[in-house]
Amino acid sequence: MKKVIKGILAVVLSGCLIGSLSINMLSFRDNQTQNDKVNRYISDQLAKQAEEAKKEKTYEEDGFKVGDEYEIRSTKAISDAYINNDESKLTDEEKKTLNMAKAIMKKVLKDNMTVYQKEEAIYNWMFKNIKCGSGSVVSMPSSLGNNYTPFGVLTGKNAVCVGYATTFRMFMHMLGLECHVVHNEYHSWDLVKLDDGEWYHTDIYTDVSSNSQYRNFNMTDAMARDGHEWDASCLPVAEGLNYSYPVQHNEKLKTVYDVPQKIKKMLDKKKKSGYYSFKSLTKKELQAADIIVRQVKQALEMLGGFDSYDVSGSWYDGKDGTYILGIYISNYDEEEETNFDPKMNKKVTEEINKAFDVKLDPLN
């Protein structure tokens, strides 16, 4: 901008040199008027630039529509009511949302849990119980078209990304933690501040949709950049490692050549993820890890019965210069848990058999 201003002033000043050196009063007034116009123009341009810079630093969270459809809505009234134990200012829908959230927290949280353990417990409950899409034949009336608010999500147990993000944010606020919904034009997730004073990205929607538990849980900015885009200029920096899931849950190995046996055990135990740390790695060992993941995929294809399985890996920074290899196993044919009440399920089947004169077995 300084160069632009200098250029403008140079043009103005050069105009002052045209003509004779004996400038009369009239030409002086003309030049002064021109200078005033230029100064006003410069001031206007600076003001516009300042306004634009202010807009760039303004992050719109509540009220923003992801995909021009799913609005990020505030749940501050609900979390404040929980913290202050006062529901008097809540709407009927907000009271129902609060009661559902309180029941979930009572079920999954324990008094002796750390802040991190409480966050992880909420994540685990949402990963296991909230699906991407309906997951049922008959849509829940209260959640129809409303799978982007905590009320619709907790009622219908299905959500789009905004539903996951705002529901997780609500739980974090109820725990007294700072939390933002991070978004771009087509996706949203969470940025939460834990008790180490560091911020962490968590994207439950992506973990559920890719069937990769913990892959997008408590990420640093560097981890999140691999698959996420956002304007970081208006949000806190996430660079802590203390509560990164790979740091919290890893097994120390001497060499990457121990990994194939670990993957086999993961399959036997039906584990979706495993993390293995190494004090140091050579360039050859890094290459070996890549080959291991590729050849495990080939081995599963040869065994048969694993056509729907996918194995992938990611490297993470550990503490004290260690390296952590995350292995993820997804089974895309895995049936969703129904959790039907056995008595209800049996009674429904009996009534169907009686009405249609058939012999159906209760649903699994």
Side-chain angles (χ1 to χ4, degrees):
M1 186 64 194
K2 288 181 179 179
K3 290 182 178 179
V4 174
I5 295 172
K6 286 181 179 179
I8 296 171
L9 291 175
V11 173
V12 174
L13 292 174
S14 65
C16 296
L17 298 176
I18 299 174
S20 88
L21 295 176
S22 56
I23 303 174
N24 58 35
M25 187 59 68
L26 180 61
S27 64
F28 175 79
R29 282 199 295 265
D30 289 341
N31 287 332
Q32 187 64 45
T33 300
Q34 182 65 17
N35 284 339
D36 290 342
K37 288 181 179 180
V38 171
N39 287 333
R40 283 198 300 273
Y41 173 78
I42 293 172
S43 297
D44 290 343
Q45 292 303 307
L46 290 172
K48 287 180 180 179
Q49 282 193 346
E51 186 63 28
E52 289 299 318
K54 184 178 178 181
K55 287 180 181 179
E56 288 177 1
K57 294 295 180 184
T58 301
Y59 181 74
E60 184 182 5
E61 188 167 339
D62 293 327
F64 184 87
K65 288 187 177 181
V66 176
D68 291 326
E69 183 176 1
Y70 302 108
E71 183 181 355
I72 299 171
R73 296 182 180 177
S74 173
T75 54
K76 188 176 185 300
I78 297 172
S79 55
D80 285 352
Y82 176 79
I83 292 170
N84 300 321
N85 195 27
D86 180 9
E87 304 177 15
S88 61
K89 296 181 180 180
L90 297 183
T91 64
D92 288 342
E93 182 175 303
E94 288 173 335
K95 287 179 181 178
K96 290 176 182 177
T97 305
L98 175 59
N99 289 333
M100 286 187 288
K102 286 166 67 174
I104 292 164
M105 293 174 71
K106 184 177 180 180
K107 181 179 179 181
V108 303
L109 302 184
K110 295 180 175 59
D111 292 337
N112 61 347
M113 281 182 167
T114 64
V115 169
Y116 166 77
Q117 289 170 335
K118 290 178 180 179
E119 181 215 15
E120 185 181 352
I122 295 297
Y123 167 91
N124 285 335
W125 185 89
M126 290 185 64
F127 181 89
K128 294 174 182 176
N129 293 278
I130 309 299
K131 303 302 177 185
C132 298
S134 176
S136 61
V137 178
V138 182
S139 298
M140 298 292 290
S142 57
S143 65
L144 187 62
N146 195 22
N147 54 1
Y148 60 95
T149 68
F151 177 73
V153 170
L154 297 181
T155 305
K157 299 297 191 296
N158 68 91
V160 294
C161 62
V162 173
Y164 281 100
T166 54
T167 303
F168 185 77
R169 182 185 64 175
M170 178 188 71
F171 278 120
M172 295 302 100
H173 285 171
M174 291 172 73
L175 291 175
L177 300 175
E178 294 182 62
C179 187
H180 294 291
V181 173
V182 188
H183 62 77
N184 51 38
E185 295 298 324
Y186 56 86
H187 187 44
S188 62
W189 62 96
D190 294 280
L191 184 64
V192 60
K193 185 179 183 181
L194 298 180
D195 59 351
D196 61 347
E198 299 287 352
W199 292 84
Y200 298 85
H201 293 268
T202 290
D203 185 352
I204 307 177
Y205 172 86
T206 296
D207 280 353
V208 174
S209 61
S210 63
N211 202 20
S212 298
Q213 192 170 9
Y214 305 123
R215 188 161 198 166
N216 292 274
F217 177 63
N218 280 5
M219 301 177 288
T220 62
D221 281 348
M223 296 175 189
R225 288 289 178 197
D226 183 17
H228 297 78
E229 296 178 351
W230 72 97
D231 179 6
S233 64
C234 305
L235 289 166
V237 174
E239 56 187 7
L241 290 174
N242 290 330
Y243 295 132
S244 160
Y245 193 85
V247 170
Q248 286 285 323
H249 304 270
N250 69 77
E251 181 182 350
K252 295 179 181 178
L253 298 181
K254 290 183 179 180
T255 172
V256 293
Y257 301 106
D258 294 331
V259 172
Q261 287 293 338
K262 296 299 179 181
I263 297 177
K264 178 62 169 60
K265 288 182 180 179
M266 287 174 61
L267 285 164
D268 292 341
K269 295 181 179 180
K270 296 183 178 180
K271 290 182 63 177
K272 296 180 183 294
S273 59
Y275 300 89
Y276 308 101
S277 61
F278 308 89
K279 284 186 177 180
S280 61
L281 288 173
T282 65
K283 186 176 181 180
K284 286 185 178 180
E285 287 176 317
L286 287 169
Q287 293 173 340
D290 186 62
I291 294 172
I292 286 168
V293 172
R294 293 186 184 189
Q295 292 199 328
V296 165
K297 291 182 179 182
Q298 294 178 11
L300 294 181
E301 291 174 2
M302 292 175 66
L303 287 172
F306 291 93
D307 295 341
S308 61
Y309 281 70
D310 182 60
V311 179
S312 59
S314 293
W315 284 107
Y316 301 96
D317 289 329
K319 288 176 139 185
D320 303 320
T322 58
Y323 300 84
I324 300 174
L325 176 62
I327 297 293
Y328 302 95
I329 299 175
S330 301
N331 179 7
Y332 294 101
D333 282 350
E334 192 172 48
E335 294 183 3
E336 295 182 1
E337 295 181 8
T338 55
N339 295 320
F340 291 141
D341 178 83
K343 291 183 179 179
M344 176 273 292
N345 192 13
K346 183 179 179 181
K347 181 174 177 57
V348 168
T349 304
E350 289 174 350
E351 293 301 320
I352 295 294
N353 288 340
K354 186 189 299 182
F356 292 90
D357 193 24
V358 294
K359 293 183 179 180
L360 298 175
D361 293 323
L363 293 176
N364 294 321

